[in-house]
């Protein structure tokens, strides 16, 4: 680990002022940042511990859910309003990491965690455009079973690792940001950017800018939402594929509103708006769900080892839609 200065400011203003806008990093739970510092992938000159900042509130009311950037994953997952009115968020969180990690890890840190691509995480491999711009991509001809099939580029095929981000993107969440220039809000879907030729740039976060909160509008579709995650083992594992969906039915039984987002397959949390449009206005039926799932995976670009993800994602999405449209009680357990 490279040497760094450590600061623990008491206010947002002091934290923003401490950031040099280049090499400094904010520290929340540290479950990703410290991990990457230990393996020399991250080498900040300064670590600004934000844990004293008043950003832990989880507030529900006035037509929205607002989650402070420092709220812990476990607290959000167990919050009564989240469980009742935004089940896809609670389920995505409970399916993430482990209880110990969820107690440490924050919402802001989760949204900004880096990819798990093994070439990105191992500096012995020189070729990684995300870690070392212009160096190539070792995964293209290497181990790519877990890599992305949607939104990829010839520069990078890394998958976005967050489960929470998939659920939030499905529900039209906005992310609230603070910098020395003031506050702004962005749709979370727009916050994440495609890799293109610059996979080192993953979000629209400006240097030194801080995530202060995430806001999710309340809706019927959010109340009828669910998260289905398929992984190599039942706990403590990232998604091979996942689906965050919501289905709201009208009085005549047809679909009034639908949300579809995929995880484990995209270079960013993957919202499938064409699939949603296909569902709305139709009676909920297995054949319709299968068609929507096929549409959601259109344009997938596979590599040598990850073609299986396309069919797995289709089946996962079909199952998740069936689940969200049913009136059955959904049983879900912690990972
Ligand atoms: C073994 C293991 C298994 C895991 N499994 C899963 C899984 O299944 N699903 C899943 O989604 N995640 C999984 N994770 C990832 C885990 O959820 C993240 O490490 C965690 O959410 C990061 O949150 P943190 O608060 O610890 O972030 P930190 O490590 O503190 O920060 C992460 C990044 O975000 C930046 N940052 C943090 N807060 C802010 C802020 N407010 N504003 C601006 N920048 C900020 C930091 O500078 C850093 O770059 C796993 C992790 C491990 C180690
Ligand atoms: S997939 Fe992306 S993160 Fe992985 S080696 Fe290629 S450039 Fe690096």
């Amino acid at each position: 680990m490279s040497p760094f200065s450590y600061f623990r400011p008491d206010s947002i203003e002091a934290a923003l002022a401490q950031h040099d806008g280049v090499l400094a990093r904010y520290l929340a739970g540290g479950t990703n940042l410290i991990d990457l510092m230990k393996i020399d992938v991250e080498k900040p000159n300064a670590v600004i511990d934000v844990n004293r900042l008043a950003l832990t509130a989880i507030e529900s009311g006035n037509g929205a859910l607002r989650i402070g950037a420092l709220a812990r994953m476990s607290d959000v997952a167990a919050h009564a309003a989240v469980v009742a009115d935004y089940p896809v968020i609670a389920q995505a969180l409970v399916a993430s990491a482990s209880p110990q990690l969820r107690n440490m890890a924050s919402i802001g840190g989760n949204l900004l965690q880096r990819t798990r691509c093994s070439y990105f995480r191992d500096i012995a491999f020189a070729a990684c455009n995300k870690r070392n711009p212009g160096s190539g991509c070792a995964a293209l001809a290497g181990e790519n079973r877990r890599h992305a099939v949607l939104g990829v580029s010839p520069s990078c095929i890394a998958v976005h690792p967050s489960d929470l981000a998939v659920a939030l993107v499905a529900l039209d969440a906005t992310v609230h940001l603070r910098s020395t220039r003031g506050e702004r809000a962005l749709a979370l879907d727009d916050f994440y950017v495609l890799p293109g030729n610059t996979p080192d740039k993953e979000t629209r976060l400006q240097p030194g800018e801080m995530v202060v909160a995430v806001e999710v509008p309340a809706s019927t579709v959010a109340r009828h939402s669910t998260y289905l995650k398929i992984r190599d083992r039942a706990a403590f594992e990232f998604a091979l594929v996942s689906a965050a969906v919501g289905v709201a039915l009208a009085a005549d039984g047809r679909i009034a509103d639908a949300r579809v987002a995929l995880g484990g397959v995209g270079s960013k949390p993957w919202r499938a708006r064409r699939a949603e449009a296909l569902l709305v206005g139709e009676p909920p039926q297995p054949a319709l769900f299968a068609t929507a799932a096929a549409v959601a995976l259109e344009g997938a670009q596979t590599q040598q080892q990850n073609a299986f993800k396309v069919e797995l994602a289709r089946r996962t999405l079909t199952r998740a839609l069936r689940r969200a449209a049913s009136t059955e009680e959904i049983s879900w357990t912690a990972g």
Side-chain angles (χ1 to χ4, degrees), residues 218-289:
S219 64
T220 307
V221 79
R223 274 200 303 285
H224 296 277
S225 61
T226 191
Y227 192 72
L228 182 58
K229 176 173 176 178
I230 306 298
R231 40 191 162 170
D232 279 331
R233 57 180 179 199
F236 206 16
E237 184 59 284
F238 289 88
L240 279 176
V241 309
S242 69
V245 305
V247 177
L249 300 181
D252 65 1
R254 290 174 187 271
I255 297 173
D257 196 0
R259 300 299 167 81
V260 177
L262 291 165
V265 289
S267 56
K268 58 180 254 183
W270 199 259
R271 179 88 179 255
R273 292 179 197 273
R274 284 195 58 223
E276 293 172 0
L278 200 130
L279 292 164
V280 172
E282 300 295 329
Q285 284 168 354
L288 175 72
F289 297 154

Side-chain angles (χ1 to χ4, degrees), residues 101-191:
L101 280 158
R102 295 195 294 270
N103 286 341
M104 280 298 288
S106 68
I107 296 305
N110 184 282
L111 298 181
L112 290 166
Q113 63 176 297
R114 309 299 303 276
T115 184
R116 309 303 290 194
C117 172
S118 46
Y119 303 106
F120 172 77
R121 292 174 59 86
D122 187 345
I123 60 167
F125 291 92
C128 174
N129 287 322
K130 193 183 275 298
R131 174 168 43 78
N132 186 12
S135 61
C137 171
L140 284 171
E143 165 58 48
N144 51 41
R145 175 176 175 270
R146 306 182 65 91
H147 284 65
V149 296
L150 291 167
V152 296
S153 81
S155 295
C156 181
I157 55 169
V159 79
H160 195 277
S162 167
D163 289 294
L164 171 68
V166 182
L168 291 175
V169 159
L171 297 186
D172 282 339
T174 50
V175 61
H176 292 255
L177 309 169
R178 270 285 287 277
S179 71
T180 49
R181 294 175 300 284
E183 189 155 346
R184 65 183 180 129
L186 287 177
L188 188 63
D189 197 13
D190 297 331
F191 178 67

Side-chain angles (χ1 to χ4, degrees), residues 3-327:
F4 59 90
S5 311
Y6 174 80
F7 303 99
R8 192 156 49 149
D10 289 320
S11 69
I12 295 178
E13 292 72 21
L16 294 172
Q18 210 88 59
H19 204 294
D20 67 353
V22 191
L23 290 172
R25 291 284 180 275
Y26 295 121
L27 173 76
T31 63
N32 190 229
L33 180 64
I34 301 295
D35 211 13
L36 294 174
M37 286 169 65
K38 284 187 194 160
I39 54 176
D40 281 337
V41 171
E42 286 275 14
K43 294 182 188 176
N45 63 352
V47 167
I48 304 164
D49 185 337
V50 291
N51 286 291
R52 283 189 178 160
L53 310 188
L55 294 173
T56 56
I58 306 166
E59 296 159 305
S60 170
N62 298 324
L65 170 73
R66 188 178 167 99
I67 309 172
L70 289 172
R72 264 42 202 184
M73 290 171 73
S74 50
D75 292 332
V76 179
H79 193 279
V82 179
V83 172
D85 298 334
Y86 309 86
V88 67
I89 296 177
Q91 292 170 23
L93 285 168
V94 164
S96 301
S98 67
Q100 293 90 339
L101 280 158
R102 295 195 294 270
N103 286 341
M104 280 298 288
S106 68
I107 296 305
N110 184 282
L111 298 181
L112 290 166
Q113 63 176 297
R114 309 299 303 276
T115 184
R116 309 303 290 194
C117 172
S118 46
Y119 303 106
F120 172 77
R121 292 174 59 86
D122 187 345
I123 60 167
F125 291 92
C128 174
N129 287 322
K130 193 183 275 298
R131 174 168 43 78
N132 186 12
S135 61
C137 171
L140 284 171
E143 165 58 48
N144 51 41
R145 175 176 175 270
R146 306 182 65 91
H147 284 65
V149 296
L150 291 167
V152 296
S153 81
S155 295
C156 181
I157 55 169
V159 79
H160 195 277
S162 167
D163 289 294
L164 171 68
V166 182
L168 291 175
V169 159
L171 297 186
D172 282 339
T174 50
V175 61
H176 292 255
L177 309 169
R178 270 285 287 277
S179 71
T180 49
R181 294 175 300 284
E183 189 155 346
R184 65 183 180 129
L186 287 177
L188 188 63
D189 197 13
D190 297 331
F191 178 67
Y192 293 111
V193 295
L194 293 171
N197 294 325
T198 54
D200 52 312
K201 183 165 172 51
E202 296 168 354
T203 69
R204 294 191 199 281
L205 196 73
Q206 296 293 316
E209 206 168 23
M210 185 187 296
V211 175
V212 291
V214 174
E215 207 165 282
V216 190
S219 64
T220 307
V221 79
R223 274 200 303 285
H224 296 277
S225 61
T226 191
Y227 192 72
L228 182 58
K229 176 173 176 178
I230 306 298
R231 40 191 162 170
D232 279 331
R233 57 180 179 199
F236 206 16
E237 184 59 284
F238 289 88
L240 279 176
V241 309
S242 69
V245 305
V247 177
L249 300 181
D252 65 1
R254 290 174 187 271
I255 297 173
D257 196 0
R259 300 299 167 81
V260 177
L262 291 165
V265 289
S267 56
K268 58 180 254 183
W270 199 259
R271 179 88 179 255
R273 292 179 197 273
R274 284 195 58 223
E276 293 172 0
L278 200 130
L279 292 164
V280 172
E282 300 295 329
Q285 284 168 354
L288 175 72
F289 297 154
T291 306
V295 167
L297 270 296
E298 270 174 7
Q301 287 176 266
T302 61
Q303 308 299 324
Q304 207 178 8
Q305 297 165 6
N306 69 358
F308 75 97
K309 280 194 172 186
V310 176
E311 184 57 24
L312 186 61
R314 282 193 198 119
R315 292 181 189 209
T316 304
L317 182 49
T318 305
R319 208 171 111 203
L321 285 166
R322 272 209 325 261
R323 202 199 243 189
S326 88
T327 49

